């Protein structure tokens, strides 16, 4: 009778060990499933964030290229205006500059 009780106890221990192993395996599988789900969610969030940044970048590029045409025209107008002002000023003082140069060239100092 003692041997049958011992055998029953061993059988109980084996059954408990198998049950514990099943529980551990189930927990491990659930953990792996959660990790896989978290990885997929993270990849999805990364893709969404990357797409958002790309949209913002494309918007900035299109905004800046649209403005560059206006800036080029504005700069060309300003440059043309300044060139015209310099030509007028040069014409105004050119006779004075020629006179001054002739004076210094023809004046002899001892």
């Amino acid at each position: 009778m003692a041997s049958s009780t011992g055998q029953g106890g061993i059988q109980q221990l084996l059954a408990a060990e198998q049950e514990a192993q099943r529980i551990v395996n189930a927990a491990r599988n659930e953990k792996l499933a959660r990790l896989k789900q978290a990885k997929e969610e993270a990849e999805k969030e990364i893709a969404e964030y990357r797409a958002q940044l790309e949209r913002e970048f494309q918007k900035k590029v299109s905004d800046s290229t649209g403005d560059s045409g206006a800036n080029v025209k504005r700069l060309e107008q300003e440059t043309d205006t300044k060139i015209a002002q310099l030509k007028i000023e040069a014409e105004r003082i050119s006779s004075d500059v020629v006179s001054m140069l002739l004076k210094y060239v023809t004046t002899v100092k001892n």
Side-chain angles (χ1 to χ4, degrees):
M1 190 160 169
S3 73
S4 69
T5 306
Q7 286 288 21
I10 292 174
Q11 291 299 326
Q12 261 186 329
L13 285 174
L14 288 173
E17 184 179 349
Q18 287 176 349
E19 179 65 18
Q21 188 64 39
R22 187 189 61 77
I23 291 171
V24 167
N25 286 339
R28 186 176 294 134
N29 290 338
E30 287 179 24
K31 179 182 176 183
L32 289 174
R34 282 194 314 267
L35 287 173
K36 183 178 178 182
Q37 181 183 5
K39 181 180 177 184
E40 289 171 355
E41 289 175 4
E43 287 173 351
K44 182 180 175 185
E45 285 182 25
I46 290 170
E48 289 173 359
Y49 182 68
R50 186 172 287 146
Q52 176 189 353
L53 288 178
E54 182 65 26
R55 284 190 303 271
E56 290 174 6
F57 174 74
Q58 292 300 332
K59 183 177 184 279
K60 286 182 181 181
V61 167
S62 67
D63 289 347
S64 67
T65 55
D67 288 345
S68 69
N71 286 337
V72 168
K73 285 185 180 182
R74 181 182 55 82
L75 289 174
E76 285 177 351
Q77 288 174 347
E78 288 177 6
T79 303
D80 291 341
T81 303
K82 289 191 182 210
I83 288 172
Q85 289 174 349
L86 288 173
K87 284 182 179 180
I88 292 169
E89 187 68 18
E91 287 176 22
R92 187 180 66 80
I93 63 170
S94 66
S95 62
D96 293 339
V97 171
V98 170
S99 298
M100 183 179 64
L101 286 173
L102 284 174
K103 177 184 166 192
Y104 283 112
V105 170
T106 58
T107 305
V108 178
K109 290 189 178 181
N110 291 339

